[in-house]
Amino acid sequence: MRQLMVFAWMQARCCAFAVALFAGMAVSAVLPALPVARYDLLLVYGLALTGLGYLLGWETRREVAVVAVCHVLGFLFEVVKVRVGSWSYPEPALTVVAGVPLYGGFMYAAVGSYVCRAWRLFDLRRSGYRPRTTGVLAAALYVNFLSHHWLPDARWVLAGLLLLASWGSWVHFTVDGQRLRMPVGLSFVLIGFFLWLAENIATYFGAWRYPHQLDAWEPVSLSKWASWALLISVTFVIAGSRRADARE
């Protein structure tokens, strides 16, 4: 029980950026009318959070760079998805590019922050990991999630290949002084589940809207759990570049 409580507390610390971001979304949803658009306000808030996190030591300079890369990749992802009508940002704002407010990449930046902090706080190491194969498959999955609107969808083929590539791969981590390990594939599935929950929270507070949520909020489809479980491989590859691995 003690180890479980320590693990939960460490996870909460890893989620500090994400929790603060979602809290800002929740507060902004109930604020009275302001002269600044809510999406613009959230952009300033997200940038302030990033700067504060660096000043407080939540993230190192390298980790801020990883978070920035995740934000850019996430924003590009949003541009394509909004253009094809997968979801939308219905509120007006000044800081909008191609229908996507610039703050839109912060959901992905929060994922990057979580992975970076987890790597450091849990003293994460990998064994049996195949960095090149996993990196190629992660890049292919990212491209496929954008291109499947025009080209054949290969996500399940790529998912099978990712499962094969991660077979026998473990993440080693420390909780309350004890060294533990988990299959890499299982970690993707678990993180994907909590990202699906986070997406439900974000859409509930109007961070963005799926077409079926425009009239009234409804839960996000469970299929998005699988999508997040696959997409987390991209963040894992970026955050894990040049990281030390466990000895076999």
Side-chain angles (χ1 to χ4, degrees), residues 76-90 98-100 145-146 148-150 199 208-214 224:
L76 295 175
F77 191 87
E78 293 289 298
V79 168
V80 174
K81 290 298 185 179
V82 166
R83 179 162 295 184
V84 299
S86 296
W87 53 77
S88 63
Y89 292 86
V100 180
F145 273 106
L146 300 180
H148 80 88
H149 298 287
W150 306 282
E199 191 173 24
W208 62 87
R209 287 279 191 267
Y210 283 96
H212 71 281
Q213 297 173 323
L214 291 176
K224 301 301 180 184

Side-chain angles (χ1 to χ4, degrees), residues 100-168:
V100 180
L102 293 179
Y103 100 89
F106 272 113
M107 173 72 175
Y108 307 87
V111 177
S113 174
Y114 165 79
V115 174
C116 285
R117 285 178 60 77
W119 218 294
R120 180 155 42 91
L121 295 178
F122 284 98
D123 189 24
L124 203 68
R125 296 290 188 273
R126 302 161 298 192
S127 64
Y129 180 66
R130 304 168 182 87
R132 292 184 180 178
T133 304
T134 306
V136 169
L137 290 173
L141 279 164
Y142 179 84
V143 172
N144 180 81
F145 273 106
L146 300 180
S147 64
H148 80 88
H149 298 287
W150 306 282
L151 300 174
D153 190 353
R155 77 181 67 186
W156 299 119
V157 173
L158 293 171
L161 292 174
L162 183 64
L163 182 63
L164 288 174
S166 62
W167 194 264

Side-chain angles (χ1 to χ4, degrees), residues 212-246:
H212 71 281
Q213 297 173 323
L214 291 176
D215 295 327
W217 182 84
E218 295 180 28
V220 176
S221 169
L222 267 174
S223 65
K224 301 301 180 184
W225 176 3
S227 298
W228 279 116
L230 295 175
L231 277 174
I232 191 60
S233 64
V234 179
T235 309
F236 188 81
V237 168
I238 295 171
S241 61
R242 300 183 181 180
R243 296 274 190 175
D245 286 338

